[in-house]
Amino acid sequence: MRVGVLTGGGDCPGLNAVIRAAVRKGVQEYGYGFTGFRDGWRGPLEGDTVTLDIQAVRGILPRGGTILGSSRTNPLKVEDGIRKIKENLVKHEVDALIAIGGEDTLGVAARLSDEYGVRCVGVPKTIDNDLSATDYTFGFDTAVNIATEAIDRLHTTAESHMRVLVVEVMGRHAGWIALHSGLAGGANVILIPEQRFDVDQICDWVTSRFKIRYAPIVVVAEGAMPKDGDAVLKDGTLDSFGHVRLSGIGEWLAKEIEKRTGKEARTTVLGHVQRGGTPSAFDRWLATRFGLHAIDAVRDEDFGVMVALRGTDIVRVPLAEATATLKTVDPSLYAEAGVFFG
């Protein structure tokens, strides 16, 4: 048995831990060979490969990013893309494929498995934690820790200058990073994509903080939108999966706050800082377990599934179910954080 491995979509801490665990167990216990495909779905499209063995995965557990590289390539949008993938899998004698990624990467894996007979197992990866079939995805905990540390640091400089600091974090459709880091970091306002916000209300909360000599911190997810507006876009271009490039809601909001309250407001955009660096202990633990269970699914010839965390158990769910809907913040959880607003 030869198993292919790819990492698609945005990178995040923990990807290398999955690769390491799958290869270590697959080689040592099952005698499998492994082929890594470079740069997400571009690898199997173009036949760009690298051999994965015990030596290749040594020392990569604490490393961020992915040794295989990643991309947002969508083979379903490439002419004869499916045929090219199937031909390259045969050419490189790959019998099964482990696809590590988020909604888009696993959506492609689901189509390949259900419609074209490619033997796929999925591993959930997204720092947004927005895959509904799993309690947590790896990368999320690290991103929250990075954002929380940034908020902690910004409190002191905000208080020194008595200014508003707006912190923009990742979160296109789901506000999990904003909610968790904002609550953990003691933010005075948290804005998420699931709840449109009222700028006047935010300004009232900001003003009330200054009345007690307290400099407010506003945490906003990149996909958050005002009640009377739309998402702020970097430009109008789309990636191969049809996603626009979000950027700028933090800067827009800071200007509105300054204009309406007369208080100085500055913006910090954490951006890709949340993706980089060493994975947290939790993300290493979760990613390692996902890798171990993914190779077990291959051994069992249980294809068309994704490994998922339910409580403390790793289970298997159909890939189609895993990518059907996004997991968004429940209004009741957001209401809990509202106690600390203003």
Side-chain angles (χ1 to χ4, degrees):
M1 170 77 78
R2 175 159 292 275
V3 182
V5 182
L6 65 83
T7 53
D11 69 295
C12 77
L15 284 165
N16 288 323
V18 180
I19 299 168
R20 170 182 174 269
V23 171
R24 285 284 297 272
K25 187 169 188 178
V27 171
Q28 292 173 188
E29 296 196 11
Y30 304 141
Y32 294 165
F34 286 83
T35 295
F37 288 101
R38 291 190 174 97
D39 303 333
W41 288 112
R42 187 191 69 79
L45 266 175
E46 301 178 8
D48 191 356
T49 66
V50 58
T51 299
L52 292 176
D53 54 21
I54 298 295
Q55 182 64 33
V57 300
R58 183 171 295 162
I60 68 173
L61 176 64
R63 285 178 56 183
T66 164
I67 62 170
L68 294 177
S70 191
S71 73
R72 298 190 185 277
T73 302
N74 184 355
L76 302 178
K77 295 290 183 67
V78 176
E79 185 176 355
D80 291 330
I82 303 302
R83 178 185 60 79
K84 292 176 182 177
I85 286 177
K86 295 183 73 172
E87 287 179 354
N88 280 319
L89 291 178
V90 172
K91 177 182 176 181
H92 294 280
E93 300 180 332
V94 172
D95 304 294
L97 187 63
I98 296 177
I100 311 167
E103 174 195 9
D104 296 325
T105 300
L106 297 184
V108 172
R111 289 280 303 276
L112 288 174
S113 178
D114 292 346
E115 300 177 24
Y116 300 101
V118 178
R119 308 204 300 177
C120 294
V121 172
V123 176
K125 176 277 324 171
T126 165
I127 65 170
D128 286 345
N129 196 41
D130 59 0
L131 286 174
S132 60
T134 184
D135 289 351
Y136 285 98
T137 55
F138 65 88
F140 171 68
D141 184 69
T142 304
V144 169
N145 288 339
I146 291 169
T148 301
E149 182 181 355
I151 295 166
D152 287 345
R153 292 176 179 274
L154 290 170
H155 272 292
T156 57
T157 186
E159 291 166 7
S160 296
H161 295 275
M162 290 306 293
R163 60 166 63 115
V164 185
L165 283 182
V166 178
V167 185
E168 182 181 313
V169 300
M170 286 185 170
R172 176 181 294 273
H173 300 298
W176 293 107
I177 294 177
L179 180 64
H180 281 238
S181 64
L183 198 58
N188 308 110
V189 182
I190 302 171
L191 306 175
I192 62 176
E194 294 88 340
Q195 301 277 345
R196 285 182 175 260
F197 61 83
D198 183 337
V199 179
D200 289 331
Q201 176 65 77
I202 294 170
C203 291
D204 288 343
W205 285 329
V206 165
T207 301
S208 71
R209 290 278 100 182
F210 280 111
K211 287 180 180 178
I212 58 172
R213 298 288 300 170
Y214 191 96
I217 301 288
V218 178
V219 174
V220 56
E222 62 184 349
M225 293 182 286
K227 285 184 176 179
D228 55 355
D230 297 314
V232 177
L233 308 181
K234 187 176 183 63
D235 54 50
T237 60
L238 304 177
D239 66 18
S240 61
F241 288 97
H243 300 308
V244 295
R245 299 175 65 191
L246 297 175
S247 178
I249 185 62
E251 189 66 31
W252 179 88
L253 183 58
K255 290 178 180 178
E256 288 295 315
I257 291 172
E258 192 166 288
K259 180 173 66 176
R260 300 186 191 201
T261 67
K263 301 294 184 179
E264 184 180 8
R266 300 286 182 87
T267 307
T268 297
V269 181
L270 295 184
H272 288 79
V273 170
Q274 297 158 92
R275 290 194 182 278
T278 301
S280 68
F282 178 84
D283 280 339
R284 298 185 202 191
W285 171 84
L286 180 58
T288 296
R289 292 189 71 201
F290 278 159
L292 296 175
H293 283 262
I295 199 63
D296 283 347
V298 172
R299 177 203 58 184
D300 296 340
E301 298 190 357
D302 190 6
F303 300 112
V305 301
M306 181 191 83
V307 293
L309 181 69
R310 298 280 176 85
T312 57
D313 296 329
I314 305 295
V315 301
R316 301 172 190 172
V317 297
L319 273 168
E321 174 189 327
T323 58
T325 59
L326 290 177
K327 179 177 65 182
T328 54
V329 174
D330 188 281
S332 65
L333 291 177
Y334 187 62
E336 291 176 358
V339 172
F340 303 99
F341 294 179

